[in-house]
Amino acid sequence: MKYVCIHGHFYQPPRENPYLEAIELQDSAYPYHDWNERITADCYAPNAASRILDAENRIVKILNNYAHISFNFGPTVLSWMKEQSPRVYEAILDDRI
């Protein structure tokens, strides 16, 4: 039997303006406000609820990929996610989904 080990290292640099202690609008992340929002919507959230389809493209199962891989998140994106996207944050921490 063959096995594959997948490890994900998820990291985003700090994006807050240190004078404002907030993330300013990042035009290049359009249609989202900033890159944390965009990457969460495009990558982190879909991996928490990955759709398994049948031959007719019907959903047969929804899988939390984080429950099946080794991973770690950098503290900047994880602390942002805890406050701004708590549903995705909880799904990442919850391997029972």
Side-chain angles (χ1 to χ4, degrees), residues 53-65:
L53 307 176
D54 66 11
E56 285 81 40
N57 286 330
R58 293 179 299 213
I59 298 171
V60 295
K61 187 175 184 179
I62 296 178
L63 184 68
N64 182 344
N65 289 331

Side-chain angles (χ1 to χ4, degrees), residues 20-46:
L20 302 175
E21 295 184 1
I23 300 175
E24 296 178 275
L25 179 65
Q26 296 174 328
D27 294 334
S28 62
Y30 181 84
Y32 299 94
H33 177 267
D34 57 69
W35 277 97
N36 283 354
E37 281 186 11
R38 183 173 180 170
I39 291 170
T40 298
D42 290 349
C43 302
Y44 302 140

Side-chain angles (χ1 to χ4, degrees), residues 6 20 22 45-46 55 83 85:
I6 298 174
L20 302 175
E83 297 297 320
S85 190

Side-chain angles (χ1 to χ4, degrees), residues 1-94:
M1 183 177 275
K2 296 182 180 184
Y3 297 92
V4 174
C5 179
I6 298 174
H7 177 79
H9 174 71
F10 307 108
Y11 171 80
Q12 293 296 313
R15 299 189 186 283
E16 291 82 11
N17 177 322
Y19 299 106
L20 302 175
E21 295 184 1
I23 300 175
E24 296 178 275
L25 179 65
Q26 296 174 328
D27 294 334
S28 62
Y30 181 84
Y32 299 94
H33 177 267
D34 57 69
W35 277 97
N36 283 354
E37 281 186 11
R38 183 173 180 170
I39 291 170
T40 298
D42 290 349
C43 302
Y44 302 140
N47 272 301
S50 184
R51 276 81 174 146
I52 308 301
L53 307 176
D54 66 11
E56 285 81 40
N57 286 330
R58 293 179 299 213
I59 298 171
V60 295
K61 187 175 184 179
I62 296 178
L63 184 68
N64 182 344
N65 289 331
Y66 300 109
H68 301 282
I69 67 171
S70 165
F71 66 91
N72 66 305
F73 273 80
T76 55
V77 69
L78 203 58
S79 62
W80 174 90
M81 198 179 303
K82 183 177 182 180
E83 297 297 320
Q84 301 298 320
S85 190
R87 199 173 115 253
V88 176
Y89 175 81
E90 290 297 327
I92 289 168
L93 299 181
D94 187 2

